[in-house]
């Protein structure tokens, strides 16, 4: 009897973030605040007393929801920086249930991205332009197992 093994790859999520020292955080980079990938909009450091640590106060905007988060951490401690990727796709079709057919530059087609239910105004504009037979490219932002269309543009034939 021949043994057949089927190894499904598992992902523990460890590769979705990298550690960064709180003291080296700069405005404009991405950090994880309260479990959400955020873009830093404000950073300030405060010196403490004789035996304390200097602290960094970090304010960030969630890259998916736009909510504001704040965190305070000693500058010598590590915080997590999310791996954020941005990829362009050509929009092929919008299904009735809101799922999109997208094709990347290599010709690979994916149909697992949905508009979602957060009533983002960009979704209505994409539907409107696509229904008037415009060829569209969408930009998808991905981080920490979440994906969202953040922009789109019309492509010329």
């Amino acid at each position: 009897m021949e043994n057949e093994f089927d190894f499904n790859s598992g992902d523990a999520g460890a590769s979705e973030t990298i550690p960064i020292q709180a003291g080296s955080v700069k405005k404009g980079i991405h950090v994880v605040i309260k479990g959400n990938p955020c873009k830093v909009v404000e950073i300030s450091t405060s010196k403490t007393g004789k035996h304390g640590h200097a602290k960094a106060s970090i304010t960030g905007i969630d890259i998916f929801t736009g909510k504001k988060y704040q965190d305070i951490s000693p500058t010598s401690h590590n915080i997590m920086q999310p791996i954020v990727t941005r990829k362009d796709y050509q929009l092929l079709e919008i299904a009735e249930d809101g799922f999109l057919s997208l094709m990347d530059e290599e010709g690979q087609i994916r149909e697992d991205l949905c508009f979602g239910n957060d009533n983002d105004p960009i979704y209505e504009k994409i539907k409107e332009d696509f229904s008037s037979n415009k060829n569209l490219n969408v930009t998808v932002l991905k981080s920490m197992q979440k994906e969202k269309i953040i922009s789109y543009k019309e492509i010329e034939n």
Side-chain angles (χ1 to χ4, degrees):
M1 185 169 129
E2 190 176 310
N3 290 335
E4 285 188 31
F5 295 103
D6 182 22
F7 292 104
N8 292 324
S9 65
D11 184 15
S15 63
E16 294 176 356
T17 59
I18 54 173
I20 182 174
Q21 198 165 14
S24 63
V25 171
K26 304 257 183 289
K27 191 174 173 179
I29 70 164
H30 296 98
V31 295
V32 177
I33 302 175
K34 293 180 175 48
N36 301 293
C38 298
K39 185 172 190 170
V40 176
V41 291
E42 190 179 328
I43 175 93
S44 62
T45 54
S46 61
K47 303 276 187 231
T48 57
K50 210 155 121 176
H51 300 290
H53 289 281
K55 297 230 182 341
S57 174
I58 303 165
T59 305
I61 306 287
D62 187 310
I63 59 176
F64 295 114
T65 64
K67 279 181 72 176
K68 186 184 252 188
Y69 292 98
Q70 190 165 16
D71 195 15
I72 296 174
S73 175
T75 55
S76 59
H77 289 194
N78 281 349
I79 59 173
M80 298 315 283
Q81 182 177 23
I83 310 257
V84 179
T85 58
R86 168 187 306 252
K87 191 166 183 180
D88 289 332
Y89 295 94
Q90 183 178 351
L91 179 59
L92 302 176
E93 185 182 357
I94 301 174
E96 297 279 327
D97 57 3
F99 279 88
L100 309 173
S101 291
L102 304 170
M103 182 171 66
D104 64 11
E105 285 131 15
E106 291 86 41
Q108 298 292 323
I109 294 177
R110 60 176 289 193
E111 297 174 325
D112 59 342
L113 187 64
C114 185
F115 269 143
N117 54 5
D118 58 358
N119 295 325
D120 195 322
I122 193 172
Y123 297 155
E124 293 306 316
K125 291 178 186 169
I126 291 172
K127 285 180 189 174
E128 192 179 298
D129 282 356
F130 188 74
S131 64
S132 58
N133 292 326
K134 292 183 180 175
N135 287 328
L136 303 177
N137 258 4
V138 296
T139 302
V140 177
L141 199 65
K142 179 179 180 180
S143 180
M144 298 176 66
Q145 297 181 351
K146 291 182 191 171
E147 289 182 294
K148 184 177 181 181
I149 296 172
I150 55 159
S151 66
Y152 78 101
K153 64 181 178 229
E154 186 177 353
I155 50 175
E156 304 299 323
N157 288 340

